[in-house]
Amino acid sequence: MPDYSTLSIQPDERNPRIARLLLNRPEKLNAINDATPREIRAAVEWANAEPAIHVIVVEGAGKGFCGGYDLSLFGEGDIDHPCQQERHPWDPMDDYAFMKRNTEDFMSLWRSAKPTIAQVHGAAVAGGSDIALCCDLLVMAEDARIGYMPTRVWGCPTTAMWTYRLGPMRAKQLMFTGDVISGQTAAEWGLANEAVPADQLDSTVMALANRIAGVPSSHLAMHKIVVNQVMLNMGLEQSQQMATVFDGITRHNPEGLWFRRYAQEQGFKAAVQWRDGGEPIPEGDEARALVREMEARRRPDGKCQ
């Protein structure tokens, strides 16, 4: 079996036509680091190269599916990174190139010739929702949660899947608020194929995967190409390009820079609590002034006192 640092993949013991792709950083709620997107793509490519495999189930180890990007690294950390450029001026094309590569890696689940099923328990939020929504099908525990909280500040979903999966009205509601919804609500809205009690999640997903796995792989690939082409005709690739550019802007405009400086000074948990708590996000001149104050408190080595 392939060996990865953030996930594992192997045929299911009961049905070797099903591959189980397990996001496996449970101590970090399976948060995304620099290796995660590349390893997802590599695992999908491995499964597609295995003739016996007909369907891929994507799931998370531990308490949830995926808690998004690792903010202890990307938000709180003092790093110079394409998505966290401390050098000035910000280079949007460096940011775009890195995040577009991540988007394309997540989209390997969507482009896979083998159907993909996201099995979501706990939380699939922020970047974790991107992974889940790039899968063809979504089955959730009723008490699971899905959403993109960083739309409130410091993020735009680069895969742009919300509108294509929910329609414009529901997508706007979630993008404007940053709210998360339960698995039960996701099923009622048509975002999830099904929501079941948590103790029935695995058996429900496996029943679906087994049903799909009995279909010839060539038929599955052709049916998927037809449906995916409809989404491409609707402008999915253009939407992703725009969303990825906007994602970089949200992290480097005054509001995004305030969020990062606040996370560096107070810790990412405090920054997330402010972001998600419903209080107004500082913006414009107020955000610029707060950034200047926080930067003035930073030590010469760049860290906050």
Side-chain angles (χ1 to χ4, degrees):
M1 293 298 102
D3 186 26
Y4 304 111
S5 63
T6 69
L7 56 83
S8 65
I9 187 169
Q10 60 186 0
D12 182 73
E13 294 179 354
R14 297 159 290 183
N15 186 346
R17 287 185 167 214
I18 301 169
R20 306 292 292 258
L21 192 165
L22 180 71
L23 304 174
N24 197 23
R25 297 182 73 217
E27 73 286 355
K28 293 285 189 177
L29 299 178
N30 302 316
I32 300 163
N33 62 18
D34 278 346
T36 306
R38 312 309 160 243
E39 294 190 349
I40 288 175
R41 182 195 285 257
V44 170
E45 290 175 348
W46 173 84
N48 274 268
E50 290 291 316
I53 291 173
H54 285 54
V55 60
I56 305 167
V57 173
V58 184
E59 56 194 320
K63 295 180 179 180
F65 182 81
C66 177
Y69 279 86
D70 189 345
L71 288 184
S72 64
L73 171 65
F74 295 111
E76 183 178 311
D78 291 286
I79 58 173
D80 194 24
H81 183 277
C83 299
Q84 250 63 325
Q85 294 175 34
E86 293 288 5
R87 60 187 182 275
H88 297 285
W90 166 59
D91 187 336
M93 287 298 96
D94 280 355
D95 192 303
Y96 174 79
F98 184 89
M99 288 306 298
K100 191 64 167 69
R101 183 182 178 191
N102 283 5
T103 301
E104 293 300 312
D105 289 342
F106 296 150
M107 285 291 287
S108 66
L109 293 160
W110 188 80
R111 296 191 175 94
S112 165
K114 314 289 176 75
T116 54
I117 306 172
Q119 175 176 317
V120 173
H121 75 293
V125 293
S129 67
D130 281 327
I131 296 171
L133 295 182
C134 282
C135 293
D136 300 309
L137 306 177
L138 172 61
V139 181
M140 298 180 65
E142 290 175 340
D143 61 353
R145 305 176 308 284
I146 189 167
Y148 208 99
M149 304 89 73
T151 59
R152 295 187 64 80
V153 69
W154 214 64
C156 179
T158 63
T159 63
M161 280 292 185
W162 292 94
T163 303
Y164 295 89
R165 299 288 291 262
L166 269 181
M169 184 174 67
R170 294 293 195 189
K172 285 179 179 179
Q173 179 178 341
L174 293 181
M175 296 303 97
F176 293 165
T177 63
D179 288 346
V180 300
I181 57 175
S182 69
Q184 183 173 350
T185 299
E188 291 170 356
W189 287 8
L191 181 68
N193 296 83
E194 195 169 355
V196 297
D199 61 358
Q200 299 176 24
L201 179 62
D202 189 70
S203 62
T204 300
V205 170
M206 291 307 294
L208 176 60
N210 278 305
R211 179 72 172 164
I212 294 170
V215 178
S217 59
S218 62
H219 288 55
L220 294 171
M222 287 185 284
H223 298 321
K224 180 166 177 174
I225 287 170
V226 170
V227 177
N228 281 4
Q229 188 59 50
V230 173
M231 297 174 69
L232 290 171
N233 290 344
M234 293 170 67
L236 175 61
E237 289 183 338
Q238 292 80 3
S239 299
Q240 290 181 341
Q241 183 178 43
M242 182 183 296
T244 305
V245 170
F246 284 176
D247 183 62
I249 294 173
T250 66
R251 285 180 275 102
H252 292 88
N253 64 6
E255 297 78 25
L257 191 56
W258 165 82
F259 180 83
R260 185 172 183 209
R261 292 289 179 257
Y262 191 86
Q264 288 172 328
E265 187 175 83
Q266 303 294 330
F268 80 93
K269 290 184 179 179
V272 167
Q273 185 177 9
W274 186 321
R275 180 196 69 192
D276 298 347
E279 293 296 323
I281 305 295
E283 56 186 305
D285 288 342
E286 179 187 8
R288 293 184 182 92
L290 290 170
V291 168
R292 287 194 294 269
E293 292 176 10
M294 287 185 280
E295 289 183 340
R297 293 195 291 268
R298 294 167 67 87
R299 299 198 304 257
D301 62 6
K303 297 183 178 180
C304 297
Q305 305 206 37

